[in-house]
Amino acid sequence: ELLGNAVRDQTFALIASSSLLRAKQTAEAVHRVQRGKPPARLVLPELDEIDFGEVDGMDVSRARATMGRVYMQWIAGVKDARAPGGESFREIEGRCREGVGKLIAACDDGGAVVAVTHSALIRCYLAVSLDLPYAKAKALSQPNCCVNILDVTAGGHVEGVRLGDTRHLPPELVTVTPHRYWDESMA
């Protein structure tokens, strides 16, 4: 609701979200308060959170150790590393590119797009699209419900305009996702 109210006076060509419930609910809240002609609404599974495979449901210490090793490999440039049963960085990268391609195609006349997705996926996309080392993208603050504004050309070139913005949230609602899940000694 707060995000919807913060952007109610902006005009969007499209409001998209991942297929996961909380992302769809947030996108619907933004869509509900749009003035004038309602923008198109699109749900894209390509925007879903990273598939962590067998890590989902593990106890926290074991999950951190497993994902810590994977993140360290991604930082080292090993794009095929993955948690057991999960996605590799290469697969995530492909899925992100496919999803952004669909967003661009859906807005062939241009215009602003709201894409509601998830922090780990956003960091992977930022690493690829802004040509950042994964370690740098992993360190980008992506609190829950933050806003990232990216300028994406029809050719797919991306510039970060505003990243991790939480100005629309009261301070007590700003959560910061931990950025270090691992201990370098586990690498």
Side-chain angles (χ1 to χ4, degrees), residues 7 59 65 70 100-101 106 174:
V7 299
D59 68 79
V70 173
V100 171
V174 176

Side-chain angles (χ1 to χ4, degrees), residues 115-162:
V116 182
T117 187
H118 309 274
S119 64
L121 185 83
I122 291 169
R123 286 188 186 100
C124 289
Y125 179 70
L126 291 173
V128 171
S129 62
L130 297 176
D131 198 27
L132 296 173
Y134 182 72
K136 191 167 188 174
K138 179 91 176 92
L140 292 172
S141 180
Q142 289 294 295
N144 288 340
C145 298
C146 74
V147 173
N148 294 289
I149 298 177
L150 305 174
D151 186 8
V152 182
T153 67
H157 176 75
V158 177
E159 289 184 15
V161 177
R162 198 166 76 203

Side-chain angles (χ1 to χ4, degrees), residues 160-175:
V161 177
R162 198 166 76 203
L163 302 176
D165 186 1
T166 57
R167 287 182 283 179
H168 60 288
L169 297 173
E172 65 274 11
L173 292 182
V174 176
T175 61

Side-chain angles (χ1 to χ4, degrees), residues 50-51 70 74 78-83 86-93:
I50 294 172
D51 180 353
V70 173
W74 287 354
V78 181
K79 289 188 173 189
D80 292 316
R82 71 179 75 231
E87 285 182 291
S88 70
F89 190 89
R90 189 176 313 280
E91 291 166 333
I92 297 160
E93 178 181 349

Side-chain angles (χ1 to χ4, degrees), residues 3-183:
L3 176 60
N5 290 332
V7 299
R8 104 175 32 218
D9 293 325
Q10 297 179 25
T11 302
F12 298 107
L14 174 68
I15 298 177
S17 71
S18 84
S19 65
L20 301 178
L21 182 61
R22 65 186 169 153
K24 289 194 303 188
Q25 290 171 332
T26 301
E28 284 302 323
V30 172
H31 194 262
R32 266 194 311 276
V33 299
Q34 289 297 289
R35 297 180 181 175
K37 180 184 173 193
R41 180 75 179 85
L42 183 63
V43 175
L44 290 174
E46 293 87 353
L47 300 179
D48 286 358
E49 181 60 287
I50 294 172
D51 180 353
F52 293 103
E54 294 173 19
V55 171
D56 280 338
M58 273 186 191
D59 68 79
V60 175
S61 63
R62 200 165 145 229
R64 284 184 178 159
T66 301
M67 284 313 298
R69 286 188 289 277
V70 173
Y71 286 138
M72 292 302 290
Q73 288 178 306
W74 287 354
I75 288 168
V78 181
K79 289 188 173 189
D80 292 316
R82 71 179 75 231
E87 285 182 291
S88 70
F89 190 89
R90 189 176 313 280
E91 291 166 333
I92 297 160
E93 178 181 349
R95 184 162 56 90
C96 283
R97 287 184 188 277
E98 186 178 340
V100 171
K102 287 181 179 181
L103 292 174
I104 291 169
C107 293
D108 55 358
D109 292 336
V113 174
V114 172
V116 182
T117 187
H118 309 274
S119 64
L121 185 83
I122 291 169
R123 286 188 186 100
C124 289
Y125 179 70
L126 291 173
V128 171
S129 62
L130 297 176
D131 198 27
L132 296 173
Y134 182 72
K136 191 167 188 174
K138 179 91 176 92
L140 292 172
S141 180
Q142 289 294 295
N144 288 340
C145 298
C146 74
V147 173
N148 294 289
I149 298 177
L150 305 174
D151 186 8
V152 182
T153 67
H157 176 75
V158 177
E159 289 184 15
V161 177
R162 198 166 76 203
L163 302 176
D165 186 1
T166 57
R167 287 182 283 179
H168 60 288
L169 297 173
E172 65 274 11
L173 292 182
V174 176
T175 61
V176 179
T177 305
H179 303 298
R180 288 189 60 204
Y181 296 99
W182 67 89
D183 175 341

